[in-house]
């Protein structure tokens, strides 16, 4: 297939480009940056997904689209709102409109687990419940676990499936859910087919460093590279699922071949958790990364950030069953490789200006 890959020079997009090419597909890239792996065919050079004329040009002759381009991370403050809305929401709308005009009907959308908000919880008295955002006073007092909204008692965290209620709790999550809604509307209007891949915590080679918009693994690695201890928020017990970027790239290839065949069905969007299926705590991840570097040991700060969620762990059965996706990179090996891949800081680069976040 001829595939238009947006975000082709990015952390995940560059790996997707390699995986698609290795699978025999022809990749035409679209990215604001002119660097990164060269596409195997079609127009090249830097371009913006919000540029309708350029998107239309690169869609000519394409069979499918893999949409990775996005502004990522939780953001720093409300001043980031316009950029997130412009890139993630408006950019996706432009892409979908041009796909409709070009008659391209297969889309793989890079979504995120952040659309869920908090994960799945069960109260011993009230059964499955949906906790409210954790109040600032509880976090300041070191009460990190969400309580039952009915009785206030502690909850047992579980795995979240794709049919869970969606409850975004920050601007990035809002825009990722907006992308899903736009893609679903496009599919219904055009008869297209969409696979929305809800990535969990992706890490691996080429992950950017020294930016407050990077994931927590990259921020921890940057501190270790500077000989500083990773700073772990709360008590380090937040549960996440860390999935290697090469596994994520392979999931994109599997999903692309599925939607190109017209499944999950014309006019429909189907969501998939893309995760390792082996949850870890933030503290465990920091320990593994520090161990791969030979120290220093992580430092638990008790700090917190409003908008962070406590636990978000995937139920990846649907991707295994319908896409044939099975992660292949073990956590220990992946973290060791991630440490070895640590890039040199760019000339004049500064460390992140804000405290690291732990919900990415």
């Amino acid at each position: 297939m001829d595939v238009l890959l947006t975000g082709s020079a990015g952390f995940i997009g560059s790996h997707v480009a390699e995986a698609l090419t290795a699978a025999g597909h022809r990749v035409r890239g679209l990215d604001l940056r002119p660097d990164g792996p060269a596409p195997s065919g079609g127009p090249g050079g830097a371009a913006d997904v919000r540029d309708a004329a350029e998107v239309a040009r690169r869609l000519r002759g394409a069979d499918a689209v893999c949409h990775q381009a996005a502004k990522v991370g939780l953001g720093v403050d409300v001043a980031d709102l316009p950029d997130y809305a412009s890139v993630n929401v408006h950019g996706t709308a432009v892409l979908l409109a041009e796909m409709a005009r070009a008659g391209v009907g297969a889309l793989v959308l890079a979504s995120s687990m952040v659309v869920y908000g908090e994960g799945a919880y069960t109260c011993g008295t009230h059964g499955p419940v949906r906790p409210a955002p954790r109040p600032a006073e509880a976090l300041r007092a070191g009460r990190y676990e969400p309580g039952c909204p009915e009785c206030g008692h502690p909850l047992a965290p579980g795995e979240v499936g794709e049919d869970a209620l969606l409850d975004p709790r920050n601007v990035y999550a809002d825009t990722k859910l907006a992308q899903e809604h736009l893609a679903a509307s496009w599919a219904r209007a055009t008869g297209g087919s969409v696979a929305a891949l809800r990535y969990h915590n992706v890490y691996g080679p080429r992950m950017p460093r020294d930016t407050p918009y990077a994931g927590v693994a990259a921020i921890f690695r940057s501190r270790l590279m500077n000989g500083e201890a990773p700073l772990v928020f709360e008590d380090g017990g937040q549960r996440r699922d860390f999935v290697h970027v090469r596994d994520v790239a392979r999931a994109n290839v599997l999903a692309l071949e599925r939607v190109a065949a017209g499944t999950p069905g014309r006019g429909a969007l189907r969501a998939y958790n893309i995760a390792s299926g082996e949850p870890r705590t933030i503290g465990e991840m920091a320990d593994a990364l520090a161990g791969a570097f030979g120290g220093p040991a992580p430092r638990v700060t008790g700090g917190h950030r409003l908008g962070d969620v406590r636990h978000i762990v995937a139920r990846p059965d649907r991707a295994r069953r319908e896409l044939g996706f099975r992660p292949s990179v073990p956590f220990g090996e992946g973290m060791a490789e991630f440490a070895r891949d640590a890039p040199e800081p760019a000339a004049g680069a500064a460390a992140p200006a804000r405290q690291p976040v732990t919900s990415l």
Side-chain angles (χ1 to χ4, degrees), residues 118 130-149 152 155 169 234 302-310:
E118 282 284 355
R130 193 73 176 174
R134 296 176 296 167
E137 57 270 22
L139 295 171
R140 286 195 295 267
R143 298 193 304 273
Y144 303 125
E145 298 291 341
C148 174
L155 299 172
R169 297 188 177 185
E234 302 185 15
H304 65 272
R305 173 170 167 158
L306 290 177
D308 282 355
V309 298
R310 179 62 176 174

Side-chain angles (χ1 to χ4, degrees), residues 62-292:
D63 300 304
V65 172
C66 192
H67 184 30
Q68 307 292 318
K71 184 177 178 68
V72 300
L74 288 189
V76 173
D77 53 38
V78 293
D80 285 325
L81 284 166
D83 278 349
Y84 275 99
S86 177
V87 176
N88 296 358
V89 182
H90 179 63
T92 298
V94 169
L95 175 66
L96 293 168
E98 295 307 321
M99 287 177 65
R101 291 189 182 98
V104 179
L107 172 66
V108 174
L109 171 68
S111 187
S112 172
M113 54 86 174
V114 296
V115 299
Y116 296 118
E118 282 284 355
Y121 291 87
T122 302
C123 172
T125 301
H126 297 99
V129 295
R130 193 73 176 174
R134 296 176 296 167
E137 57 270 22
L139 295 171
R140 286 195 295 267
R143 298 193 304 273
Y144 303 125
E145 298 291 341
C148 174
E150 300 293 332
C151 64
H153 290 167
L155 299 172
E159 297 178 331
V160 63
E162 291 87 350
D163 295 327
L165 175 70
L166 303 183
D167 186 19
R169 297 188 177 185
N170 57 68
V171 62
Y172 173 61
D174 291 335
T175 62
K176 296 310 285 185
L177 183 54
Q179 286 183 322
E180 289 197 20
H181 287 324
L182 288 169
S185 294
W186 167 85
R188 287 191 295 270
T190 65
S193 183
V194 184
L197 305 185
R198 291 175 180 163
Y199 302 155
H200 285 250
N201 289 66
V202 186
Y203 73 98
R206 305 178 204 146
M207 196 172 189
R209 58 160 289 169
D210 293 337
T211 165
Y213 302 96
V216 65
I219 293 172
F220 285 174
R221 184 179 66 175
S222 291
R223 290 190 62 85
L224 287 161
M225 290 170 62
N226 293 330
E228 300 172 330
L231 301 180
V232 180
F233 273 18
E234 302 185 15
D235 59 0
Q238 309 94 307
R239 296 171 74 239
R240 299 290 188 271
D241 189 304
F242 296 93
V243 58
H244 196 277
V245 66
R246 285 196 298 274
D247 285 330
V248 170
R250 188 162 45 83
N252 273 270
V253 176
L254 293 168
L256 184 78
E257 292 169 348
R258 179 175 173 82
V259 297
T263 52
R266 302 296 182 188
L269 178 147
R270 185 77 161 161
Y272 297 94
N273 283 327
I274 303 302
S276 73
E278 297 180 357
R280 308 277 176 168
T281 67
I282 295 289
E284 288 172 335
M285 185 273 289
D287 286 338
L289 197 52

Side-chain angles (χ1 to χ4, degrees), residues 31-46:
D31 199 291
L32 281 170
R33 294 156 294 186
D35 56 344
S40 56

